[in-house]
Amino acid sequence: MSWLLALPIAIPFVTAVIVYLLRNRALGRWISLAGSLASLAASAALMVAVLRDGVVAAQMGGWPAPFGISLVADYLSAVMVVITAITGLATAVYALGEIEERLERLGYHALFQVLIAGVTGAFLTGDLFNLYVWFEVMLIASFGLLVLGGSKEQLDAGIKYVALNLVSTLVFLSGIGLLYGVTGTLNLADLHGAVAAVEDQALITVIAMMFMVGFGVKAAVFPLFFWLPASYHTPSFAVSAVFAGLLTKVGVYALMRMFTLVFVGDVGFTHEILIWVSALTMLTGVLGAAAQTDFRKILSFHIISQIGYMTLGLALYTPLALMGGVFYLVHHIIVKANLFLVAGVAQKLAGGTDLERIGGLYKSSPLLAALFVVPAFSLAGFPPLSGFWAKFLIVKASIELGEWLIAFVALFVGLLTIFSMTKIWGMAFWKPHPEGIEPTPDRVPARIRVPMMLPIAGLAAMTVLIGFFPEPFVQFAETAAVQLLEPAAYVEAVLGLREARP
Amino acid sequence: MESLTALLVGLLVAASVYLMLARNFLRFLFGLILLSNAANLVIFAAGRMTAGAPALVPEGASVPDGVIGNALPQALVLTAIVIGFGLLAFTLALTFEAYRRLRTLDSDEMRHAEPDEGKTEAGR
């Protein structure tokens, strides 16, 4: 069973080594693509096992838990791993068109694969310190990808991104140290019982806040999001798509894991904070987007506002809300990565991302316009696209709890999202190009255009599919939420049928 | 011993926050290094400090004899030091490159990614 859990992490690492050695040859990019395909197959195999057994766990190196490092996949982990592989494959195809040889020589594909390995590892690990290590793997690869190419904007953005992320990592690391000092264990399943057994629960709450700040920076929640809009619009589009899709979601995933499995002793305090943080995150993100006139900057601020919905699903802490949160997580990764990919094609065709200086895409490239509408309106929550169901679940959960203000904020933010999306639509697609250029698709050679359009069409098809047939996905999210709220199966899979701590 | 380490951690964090509040990015980086060391000390102290022998198993035995020091936090700290070293080396290289290209490390003047809308192009 252990190879099933190790493969989705090992494949990208092996691919990274090979493509680094082949970075000066054209073969490298095809091997990177093959590696992404193999990752998808491995994560699909893991998903099948999880669907069959519920929770799958393996002890690395044969050391029994809680002494060794455990890899665990429950429904949430498994779906995150699969969606990571899908995003990885989509951006690997996209990179065939977008990434120039200059960046490939600098090791683009190797860094990209290490990033995917880091993200996958963070989703699969069942050990707190190991989670820190995966965060660092992910972080160092993202540093490299962000500044690859070395333009002035990228260096400036890199400084801010690196600085704030390192501070958050150190807060997280100190939190790990203190939690180990109080409980004497680092295994997440073991911590579930050990934390509940600590006498001084106030101490645990203090440590919980350190984790909330550390993960909050990664997830870009209010008021810790400043690094995101400073940096996400500067690297190449394939990179910002994979950042936008995956990196902040690792922070959300970590929050969901820690605040359902470990820090549940004082839900009234910690989760109440999360509710207000989520509401403010939604509002500031969407208002920030309204003030921007750059394609990618608008999308960056929308990442922040959407993160609020996901953390809200965790904060409300009911089965329905968590189910909405999980569903939102999956829906958002597909949609947001796709929007950044569309922005890349728009830039290639119309010559920029500044909305004032581009236009005419609807008339000249109707296919791209149609493929933009799908994720854009899904993001805003239009039925019957995936975003509608995601928002519906979250809003319904907050109404059921009588949180009328929160429900209102969630709906209001959806309305403002439509405003931003119609702004992009009106300026980039509808109005004529200010310089009289006709941005027809044949302005870009087919060998670049086709690999860039393929993943956009694929991801848009997934959005429509989830929208029209939400039933299996909602049921999946429901089981994931139940597993999160009742972690007995998770604990048992990791620790075996040991006696629970008194 | 633990309380002395705790005081040292507090001192390091205070110094690092002071440095990180500076506008010069190099000072920020030095603050980050101090903070990184403070975090390592926290883990070390959290594992309890005892005057025990190293956790070595004598030949032929399956458990070490006598009082031994907790080996786990040492392994954790070692990992954290190595990772921290790599990250800080990268950050220093990034800082150098940024200074070479942007000709400044003053964070108020580093506005290339987010240009100040209020100022004119010539004013920057």
Side-chain angles (χ1 to χ4, degrees), chain A residues 271-478:
Chain A
H271 291 57
E272 182 73 17
I273 293 179
L274 272 177
I275 289 183
W276 293 108
V277 163
S278 308
L280 288 167
T281 308
M282 289 192 273
L283 270 178
T284 43
V286 87
L287 291 176
Q292 299 295 328
T293 53
D294 182 280
F295 206 140
R296 273 204 279 187
K297 282 187 187 169
I298 293 179
L299 294 180
S300 300
F301 271 103
H302 273 296
I303 300 176
I304 300 167
S305 89
Q306 306 287 316
I307 289 290
Y309 286 96
M310 295 167 224
T311 48
L312 184 62
L314 167 67
L316 293 174
Y317 206 60
T318 62
L320 185 66
L322 262 173
M323 174 177 147
V326 173
F327 191 90
Y328 213 109
L329 209 52
V330 174
H331 137 76
H332 180 79
I333 293 177
I334 298 171
V335 164
K336 188 52 97 184
N338 202 7
L339 282 171
F340 273 87
L341 298 180
V342 171
V345 179
Q347 188 256 355
K348 279 262 189 297
L349 295 179
T353 54
D354 188 346
L355 293 177
E356 307 273 355
R357 294 187 190 161
I358 59 171
L361 283 165
Y362 174 63
K363 197 174 152 221
S364 311
S365 313
L367 178 65
L368 182 70
L371 290 177
F372 169 75
V373 168
V374 172
F377 279 74
S378 181
L379 190 75
F382 262 58
L385 298 163
S386 59
F388 168 72
W389 303 108
K391 282 203 172 57
F392 174 74
L393 291 172
I394 297 280
V395 171
K396 185 158 180 252
S398 34
I399 290 176
E400 270 183 9
L401 282 176
E403 299 270 6
W404 296 100
L405 186 61
I406 300 292
F408 171 75
V409 168
L411 289 172
F412 180 64
V413 167
L415 200 64
L416 285 177
T417 310
I418 300 175
F419 166 71
S420 283
M421 290 302 127
T422 46
K423 183 162 80 180
I424 297 181
W425 175 256
M427 292 177 87
F429 289 88
W430 214 311
K431 84 168 180 338
H433 200 292
E435 288 160 31
I437 302 171
E438 293 239 339
T440 48
D442 47 18
R443 277 165 57 87
V444 177
R447 89 190 143 73
I448 293 181
R449 191 179 70 231
V450 172
M452 287 173 84
M453 290 301 279
L454 263 181
I456 296 177
L459 293 177
M462 286 180 68
T463 310
V464 175
L465 184 78
I466 298 178
F468 276 107
F469 304 102
E471 188 64 26
F473 299 95
V474 169
Q475 270 174 4
F476 184 93
E478 192 178 5

Side-chain angles (χ1 to χ4, degrees), chain A residues 136 150 156 160 177 180-181 233, chain B residues 46 48 70 87 101 110 112-113:
Chain A
E136 300 294 306
D156 182 19
K160 287 155 192 170
Y180 173 72
H233 60 285
Chain B
R48 307 295 187 274
N70 187 350
L87 287 174
R101 294 285 306 281
M110 297 167 84
H112 291 269

Side-chain angles (χ1 to χ4, degrees), chain A residues 68-203:
Chain A
I69 290 171
S70 317
L71 294 183
V72 199
D74 61 352
Y75 268 47
L76 177 61
S77 296
V79 73
M80 294 311 285
V81 169
V82 170
I83 209 78
T84 303
I86 290 175
T87 317
L89 181 63
T91 33
V93 175
Y94 193 84
L96 293 177
E98 198 216 348
I99 300 301
E100 315 142 27
E101 225 168 276
R102 188 176 65 98
L103 297 183
E104 287 188 333
R105 279 175 207 279
L106 289 169
Y108 167 82
H109 294 299
L111 284 171
F112 173 75
Q113 293 291 346
V114 172
L115 182 75
I116 296 291
V119 172
T120 312
F123 289 146
L124 282 180
T125 186
D127 182 277
L128 200 48
F129 195 79
N130 198 232
L131 181 66
Y132 160 77
V133 174
W134 289 122
F135 264 91
E136 300 294 306
V137 169
M138 189 176 93
L139 216 51
I140 194 81
S142 70
F143 290 171
L145 285 172
L146 183 63
V147 299
L148 203 67
S151 73
K152 280 189 178 178
E153 287 79 22
Q154 283 179 302
L155 287 170
D156 182 19
I159 290 270
K160 287 155 192 170
Y161 178 84
V162 168
L164 290 176
N165 272 293
L166 284 182
V167 172
S168 94
T169 301
L170 291 172
V171 174
F172 172 33
L173 185 61
S174 313
I176 292 178
L178 293 175
L179 194 59
Y180 173 72
V182 177
T183 60
T185 179
L186 288 167
N187 187 297
L188 287 176
D190 201 26
L191 275 170
H192 174 67
V195 162
V198 171
E199 267 175 44
D200 193 353
Q201 282 293 320
L203 210 57

